[in-house]
Amino acid sequence: MAASGAESRPVRGKTNPETGKLEFFLDVPFPTPQEAEVALRSLSPDREPRKGGISKQLTMSGSTLSVRWIADEARILRVSVNSFLDHLSLVVETMETFGPPVPQ
């Protein structure tokens, strides 16, 4: 289902020279825009537990879910990305188990 598509740049990371903060980008392709929207709605409510040091933004374009992190420290970024990937895996497994979303 997800994460098996061939995107040209599915993962990108860098340090922003203007802010000195770490930035990490992840593009996750889904078979359909409906499945990408289900993933977006399922993963959006999860806010970072820390008040500062990291932010995460989820967006959708067509059937691709894009995530952007901005963090002060690599350790905080790593924990957030790992947690997100665990949740993403659960969402994908659930969609595979119950099938694609029903059109409304």
Side-chain angles (χ1 to χ4, degrees):
M1 178 173 278
S4 62
E7 291 291 312
S8 58
R9 295 179 307 173
V11 177
R12 303 177 307 279
K14 66 178 183 175
T15 300
N16 185 321
E18 293 176 13
T19 64
K21 293 188 181 251
L22 300 168
E23 296 183 356
F24 187 76
F25 305 86
L26 176 66
D27 292 332
V28 184
F30 284 87
T32 66
Q34 292 79 15
E35 288 168 285
E37 184 175 356
V38 167
L40 175 68
R41 286 195 270 156
S42 298
L43 296 164
S44 289
D46 294 339
R47 297 210 186 281
E48 296 302 323
R50 290 179 63 116
K51 295 286 184 194
I54 191 158
S55 65
K56 176 176 65 182
Q57 178 184 13
L58 283 83
T59 58
M60 189 183 99
S61 178
S63 62
T64 300
L65 174 67
S66 297
V67 190
R68 177 184 182 210
W69 285 268
I70 299 174
D72 293 336
E73 301 174 27
R75 180 184 57 81
I76 298 168
L77 178 60
R78 184 178 61 248
V79 169
S80 179
V81 171
N82 283 339
S83 175
F84 177 82
L85 292 174
D86 286 343
H87 289 117
L88 175 63
S89 176
L90 181 60
V91 168
V92 169
E93 287 176 27
T94 301
M95 284 195 282
E96 287 176 343
T97 299
F98 291 101
V102 177
Q104 296 179 347

